[in-house]
Amino acid sequence: EAQVTQNPRYLITVTGKKLTVTCSQNMNHEYMSWYRQDPGLGLRQIYYSMNVEVTDKGDVPEGYKVSRKEKRNFPLILESPSPNQTSLYFCASSSGTGGGLNQPQHFGDGTRLSIL
Amino acid sequence: DAKTTQPPSMDCAEGRAANLPCNHSTISGNEYVYWYRQIHSQGPQYIIHGLKNNETNEMASLIITEDRKSSTLILPHATLRDTAVYYCILVRRGGKLIFGQGTELSVKP
């Protein structure tokens, strides 16, 4: 089954304790992206990757890191989490080619992070 | 950055057509218009997309004005399961997505 898998689905942790949210897709998609969703703010893009070893900042990259060492995986790293990073996070992938991204994105089920 | 503007909420009677507008007056020539919806806190679900021409699929129709400054998503026969938040999104060259605030559609019996 074609899917985007995020882990963990839920996490409660404390300020400053490094964490990684994994994202994996089995569709051989070149494009992958991370979003966060906060009440009243819709979805905001954190980082995206057009291909292996190519990553770019979205609208809210501060406090996050990503890597794209292989096509299927795109982990989101919070080196020193803070309470303002408490949010619902989504990973997505797409087969959109070139710069036009003319194919829809497939989203994971989300990861709910709580930073105390 | 080009942005989209949507009404925060709309109601629709079950079985009637739901017409959801989106304004994107600063859209660039190579940006696609995408529509997604989100039910509760699930991952957004793709509905339809277009560049210049009107599009139709099994879920909905997308009408884009000739000047591309606005678009309308049409759900032809809304059901209670179509109650969701609908997002109009611009996708630009390079992969950066620009989300609107979304329209909360309530389909009522």
Side-chain angles (χ1 to χ4, degrees):
Chain A
E1 179 188 352
Q3 60 186 3
V4 177
T5 303
Q6 298 179 224
N7 280 297
R9 293 290 313 281
Y10 303 91
L11 179 64
I12 301 174
T13 188
V14 296
T15 299
K17 185 176 181 181
K18 180 180 177 179
L19 68 91
T20 299
V21 184
T22 63
C23 175
S24 179
Q25 50 92 6
N26 62 359
M27 296 167 279
N28 201 35
H29 285 170
E30 293 182 343
Y31 178 90
M32 298 186 74
S33 183
W34 276 103
Y35 304 87
R36 62 176 289 174
Q37 184 172 30
D38 303 290
L41 295 177
L43 279 84
R44 295 179 292 170
Q45 192 174 37
I46 303 172
Y47 270 95
Y48 64 95
S49 170
M50 295 291 286
N51 212 328
V52 176
E53 301 293 358
V54 179
T55 62
D56 277 297
K57 296 178 180 179
D59 287 324
V60 288
E62 295 78 19
Y64 304 94
K65 288 176 59 177
V66 292
S67 67
R68 189 85 183 277
K69 292 182 170 57
E70 49 190 343
K71 186 179 278 191
R72 66 180 291 123
N73 296 320
F74 190 45
L76 180 70
I77 303 159
L78 285 72
E79 293 270 6
S80 183
S82 63
N84 64 11
Q85 293 178 297
T86 292
S87 188
L88 178 60
Y89 292 84
F90 289 102
C91 179
S93 72
S94 169
S95 63
T97 57
L101 213 64
N102 60 346
Q103 293 295 325
Q105 294 193 22
H106 300 257
F107 283 80
D109 291 331
T111 295
R112 191 170 291 279
L113 289 184
S114 294
I115 315 295
L116 304 178
Chain B
D1 284 346
K3 295 190 183 300
T4 62
T5 303
Q6 300 175 252
S9 64
M10 292 182 62
D11 290 340
C12 178
E14 188 178 20
R16 304 296 295 268
N19 296 276
L20 290 84
C22 180
N23 180 283
H24 32 79
S25 58
T26 56
I27 190 171
S28 299
N30 56 5
E31 287 177 329
Y32 286 80
V33 180
Y34 275 74
W35 284 83
Y36 285 79
R37 71 182 183 185
Q38 187 177 26
I39 299 172
H40 299 302
S41 296
Q42 299 175 16
Q45 176 191 19
Y46 166 77
I47 301 173
I48 198 167
H49 75 285
L51 183 61
K52 295 180 182 178
N53 300 320
N54 298 336
E55 303 289 343
T56 296
N57 62 21
E58 65 278 4
M59 289 182 68
S61 295
L62 174 61
I63 308 298
I64 302 175
T65 58
E66 190 170 346
D67 62 9
R68 302 216 318 132
K69 292 185 177 182
S70 66
S71 61
T72 301
L73 176 74
I74 301 172
L75 306 178
H77 305 287
T79 71
L80 298 179
R81 288 183 295 178
D82 291 322
T83 293
V85 178
Y86 288 77
Y87 291 99
C88 171
I89 300 166
L90 298 183
V91 179
R92 65 170 38 174
R93 183 172 296 278
K96 184 172 182 179
L97 272 65
I98 306 163
F99 279 84
Q101 293 301 309
T103 295
E104 186 168 2
L105 176 68
S106 295
V107 180
K108 300 181 184 299

